[in-house]
Amino acid sequence: MAASYLRLHQSGSKRWSRRSPDTLRILLMIYTHLEGDKPIQLDFVDKANEIEVSVEQLRAEVDWFIEQEFLALDGNVDGVARVWVNPSVAFFPGTDPRVAAARHRFPYFQPAKGGMSAEEPVVIHPYEPELWEGVYNVQRELFENPRVFSFCPGHAR
């Protein structure tokens, strides 16, 4: 939710509408392809067709995700990008978020208390190994043995 809240807040709006960016839907499409602690191969043409957005819109959203550090780009050749997902956004069951966070010095995102009604709807904590260690320890069960929901096709294996 932090990505959607931040995107909406930056657009100057306080509520979703038809003209709101497809931030959450695009991010869901990206992270359902997680496999362990690996980057995702993102083919812009195929994915844009799959989720029925223009290639330009998909590229703009991915660029925004990278700029905000929800994703990290690891190359883009012939319309196929390799992207890493910030583990505060999504992670593959059984992976250690501390490793991915350290690899790209990802910040930790969380929705603020009050969500979109808060003055700043997203709290962004800069990368600190101690913070990620604390996140891991507090949510150890979630990271080591998360519940998998059947409606998440990328993880319902």
Side-chain angles (χ1 to χ4, degrees):
M1 292 306 295
S4 291
Y5 285 174
L6 186 59
R7 187 71 157 144
L8 199 58
H9 179 72
Q10 288 180 353
S11 74
S13 180
K14 289 285 185 185
R15 55 180 14 177
W16 278 271
S17 71
R18 281 186 166 160
R19 294 176 22 173
S20 296
D22 284 330
T23 304
L24 185 57
R25 188 166 68 100
I26 291 171
L27 194 55
L28 281 166
M29 176 274 305
I30 291 171
Y31 73 66
T32 56
H33 293 284
L34 282 168
E35 291 184 22
D37 187 25
K38 300 177 189 171
I40 294 167
Q41 302 292 322
L42 178 62
D43 183 313
F44 285 98
V45 173
D46 286 348
K47 291 301 168 193
N49 289 333
E50 179 182 318
I51 61 173
E52 299 175 341
V53 299
S54 70
V55 172
E56 294 76 23
Q57 182 181 1
L58 179 57
R59 283 185 187 278
E61 286 296 308
V62 169
D63 288 346
W64 182 83
F65 293 137
I66 292 166
E67 179 182 321
Q68 300 303 316
E69 298 184 274
F70 289 101
L71 301 176
L73 181 65
D74 189 24
N76 187 349
V77 177
D78 295 329
V80 178
R82 285 173 37 111
V83 295
W84 295 87
V85 178
N86 181 325
S88 69
V89 175
F91 59 91
F92 191 79
T95 58
D96 188 336
R98 299 169 296 185
V99 175
R103 180 182 297 118
H104 296 287
R105 301 184 56 80
F106 278 128
Y108 182 76
F109 293 93
Q110 68 185 115
K113 290 182 181 168
M116 280 306 294
S117 63
E119 188 171 322
E120 292 291 328
V122 178
V123 178
I124 304 170
H125 302 277
Y127 172 78
E128 290 182 24
E130 297 80 18
L131 171 67
W132 279 99
E133 185 69 30
V135 167
Y136 179 79
N137 288 331
V138 168
Q139 300 179 27
R140 181 181 302 264
E141 181 65 24
L142 178 66
F143 291 119
E144 291 177 359
N145 192 21
R147 293 181 173 92
V148 179
F149 300 99
S150 62
F151 63 82
C152 184
H155 298 141
R157 296 182 187 141

